[in-house]
């Protein structure tokens, strides 16, 4: 799931060392301290940059509840590495 939807920006290790991540200022997931609720919101609603342009796509309507839960757990697992 993460590899399909997130790794192109966040990198396969979540460290955001990809060219796109550097260009957009993507978050290093190993440093993330967001709660489950905040992660869910980011996944479903996406993120905007300071100029209100899309920085992260919204996945509402594209992922089901179980897929969102799985992504939250996968993101939190990067913190333990």
């Amino acid at each position: 799931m993460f590899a399909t939807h997130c790794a192109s920006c966040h990198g396969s290790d979540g460290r955001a060392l990809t060219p796109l991540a550097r260009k957009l200022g993507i978050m290093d997931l190993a440093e993330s301290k967001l709660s489950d609720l905040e992660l869910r919101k980011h996944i479903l609603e996406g993120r905007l940059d300071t100029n209100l342009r899309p920085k992260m796509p919204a996945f509402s309507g594209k992922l089901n509840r179980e897929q969102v839960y799985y992504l939250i757990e996968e993101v939190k697992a990067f913190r333990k590495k």
Side-chain angles (χ1 to χ4, degrees):
M1 181 74 57
F2 184 86
T4 301
H5 298 291
C6 311
S8 62
C9 290
H10 289 284
S12 60
D13 62 357
R15 303 291 302 198
L17 299 175
T18 66
L20 187 56
R22 284 191 291 276
K23 179 181 176 185
L24 296 176
I26 302 295
M27 178 185 293
D28 177 346
L29 297 177
E31 302 296 324
S32 172
K33 296 186 182 350
L34 298 176
S35 69
D36 287 12
L37 186 60
E38 290 169 313
L39 289 170
R40 182 178 184 279
K41 180 178 180 183
H42 289 283
I43 292 167
L44 293 176
E45 297 178 12
R47 299 275 318 256
L48 300 176
D49 68 14
T50 56
N51 295 316
L52 302 178
R53 293 183 306 234
K55 183 174 183 175
M56 177 179 152
F59 290 96
S60 180
K62 299 174 186 172
L63 301 175
N64 64 38
R65 174 180 262 180
E66 291 79 22
Q67 291 170 316
V68 172
Y69 173 79
Y70 178 81
L71 279 176
I72 290 170
E73 293 305 310
E74 196 160 0
V75 166
K76 290 180 356 186
F78 290 118
R79 299 174 188 173
K80 300 173 186 171
K81 293 181 179 182

